[in-house]
Amino acid sequence: MADESDTLAYNAFRAKHRRSDEFSSADYRQRFALFVQRRAQVKAHNANPGATWRAEINKFSDFDEEEFQLMLGYRRAMQRSVPSASASTPKSASFLQMQPGRVIAESKDWRLGLNSSSYVREQGGCGSCWAVAAVGALEMHRELATGRPSPKLSFKHLVDCVPNPKNCGGSGGCKGATAELAFRYVRDHGIALETSYGDSDIQGNCPSTEMPLFQSRGFVALPANKLDPLLEVVHHKGPVVVSVDASGWATYANGVFDGCERDATVNHAVLLVGYGHTSEQKKYWSIRNSWGHDWGEHGYIRLQRHDTDEGKEGYCGTDRDPKAGVGCDDGPTTLPVCGMCGVLSDSSYPDV
């Protein structure tokens, strides 16, 4: 039950986040009730002495479920997309094994020394995480390939233009798609710079005018639910777009997040930029989200990393609601997922 401290806290929250509904409205009462519930949950979580991550009240704390779902907007492709045989990029099946003698360091962080690592974006109420994550990977791999800072690329160009005839990842645009569809589009058609496409709201219509474009050579899709290939690529090649169940990420503030059950519904695309461990040897993945600088660790989250993709340590489970989190039509009723929040389930990176 709400008390005076809840009322004072929510009024301060509304002022900070510029909520505009009237105090007497039903919307205010509904949001206040949600805020009080989340505030209690945050207090209870942070009071747990064994917690490895800290929760906080943030801009999502009075969102209803439908509003928060718009911050996800990703559906994993039911049938994995891989480059055609004529593409310059190898098929995903061509490099699956860790090469003998290759050394994987204990930690890797591609944010260090890369100008494009600072390009943290906020997707807003558009389900464009798939496009934001794909653009982030393209920018960072371009900088790694050229040794020069990459200009910002336009994720809004992808949202407006990437076709999605099979409803992989949703129905397209702000209603969801996949990073692989984005990479395929950039390979075939190119992508505009943010400065040439403009920073206006997403229009939903692909422009017919000519623009300066950056075109990649293709992409590589990693094997599903396998740890070693992902570690190898992140260590030796660069950041990777991964898919996760971010349903429990709303209140994340800092630390190593371990709040997903083994069964997970994949619903969000993010950019994995490295891995490491804490001083207490808690292993994690370093991930850049698309919810702005003011969420998490300046736009990033550390997600628990397990030692294997098999057995108890592998933290594997089942996606029991694929249609809620997986998009291509006529798919199976369940899918296997491995890693915290299903982080190993679907991964790809661009060849620039």
Side-chain angles (χ1 to χ4, degrees):
M1 188 169 184
D3 57 24
E4 184 178 358
S5 69
D6 289 319
T7 302
L8 293 173
Y10 188 51
N11 290 342
F13 171 90
R14 286 171 51 80
K16 177 180 179 180
H17 297 287
R18 300 180 181 179
R19 298 294 195 255
S20 59
D21 50 287
E22 295 296 328
F23 275 56
S24 59
S25 71
D27 188 54
Y28 171 85
R29 292 191 293 272
Q30 178 184 358
R31 292 186 182 279
F32 177 57
L34 290 169
F35 176 86
V36 171
Q37 177 185 349
R38 273 65 179 269
R39 189 171 185 236
Q41 291 170 345
V42 165
K43 287 181 178 179
H45 174 83
N46 290 342
N48 179 1
T52 62
W53 62 281
R54 189 178 67 85
E56 69 176 355
I57 293 296
N58 60 23
K59 57 191 174 185
F60 303 130
S61 294
D62 68 346
F63 273 28
D64 62 27
E65 184 64 22
E66 182 177 353
E67 289 170 321
F68 184 66
Q69 287 298 317
L70 292 175
M71 301 303 299
L72 303 175
Y74 175 78
R75 306 292 186 269
R76 177 157 54 92
M78 207 62 97
Q79 298 175 346
R80 297 296 305 278
S81 300
V82 296
S84 65
S86 61
S88 61
T89 304
K91 291 186 178 181
S92 61
S94 65
F95 82 110
L96 307 190
Q97 301 299 320
M98 289 272 282
Q99 298 183 22
R102 293 294 286 273
V103 176
I104 302 297
E106 289 189 1
S107 63
K108 188 71 178 183
D109 191 345
W110 288 106
R111 290 174 291 180
L112 303 177
L114 288 181
N115 186 68
S116 51
S117 70
S118 65
Y119 300 168
V120 177
R121 294 172 167 92
E122 184 166 6
Q123 69 184 74
C126 171
S128 56
C129 60
W130 58 276
V132 174
V135 160
L138 286 162
E139 291 163 342
M140 295 182 80
H141 277 269
R142 184 181 187 185
E143 186 169 351
L144 287 168
T146 64
R148 300 188 302 273
S150 172
K152 285 187 175 182
L153 303 176
S154 174
F155 80 91
K156 295 179 181 180
H157 182 196
L158 298 180
V159 174
D160 285 346
C161 296
V162 171
N164 191 8
K166 295 183 179 180
N167 294 321
C168 292
S171 57
C174 286
K175 295 183 178 179
T178 71
E180 291 174 359
L181 286 172
F183 290 148
R184 187 185 297 276
Y185 181 87
V186 175
R187 182 194 67 190
D188 295 341
H189 304 285
I191 183 173
L193 302 182
E194 184 180 277
T195 52
S196 62
Y197 196 82
D199 196 29
S200 60
D201 291 337
I202 291 168
Q203 301 298 314
N205 296 313
C206 191
S208 57
T209 56
E210 293 293 329
M211 297 172 279
L213 298 174
F214 164 69
Q215 197 160 0
S216 66
R217 294 185 294 179
F219 66 95
V220 176
L222 276 65
N225 296 316
K226 293 298 180 183
L227 173 66
D228 286 351
L230 181 58
L231 272 174
E232 169 117 356
V233 168
V234 175
H235 180 264
H236 291 290
K237 294 183 178 294
V240 175
V241 177
V242 296
S243 56
V244 294
D245 180 353
S247 303
W249 290 16
T251 60
Y252 173 80
N254 54 55
V256 178
F257 185 88
D258 60 356
C260 287
E261 301 293 336
R262 289 175 179 266
D263 294 341
T265 298
V266 171
N267 54 25
H268 194 47
V270 289
L271 185 62
L272 195 158
V273 300
Y275 59 88
H277 58 80
T278 67
S279 57
E280 294 80 20
Q281 298 303 306
K282 183 81 168 179
K283 296 181 179 180
Y284 60 80
W285 300 105
S286 295
I287 289 173
R288 189 171 81 186
N289 202 354
S290 52
W291 297 346
H293 283 276
D294 57 348
W295 175 87
E297 297 179 336
H298 305 290
Y300 286 80
I301 183 173
R302 285 178 288 164
L303 186 67
Q304 182 178 3
R305 175 169 56 95
H306 297 86
D307 290 327
T308 178
D309 50 28
E310 298 177 354
K312 185 177 180 180
E313 288 186 339
Y315 210 75
C316 292
T318 302
D319 184 339
R320 301 188 184 280
D321 190 12
K323 293 305 293 181
V326 183
C328 288
D329 297 332
D330 303 323
T333 57
T334 63
L335 286 172
V337 289
C338 287
M340 180 58 62
C341 302
V343 68
L344 302 181
S345 63
D346 190 46
S347 312
S348 58
Y349 69 95
D351 178 9
V352 301

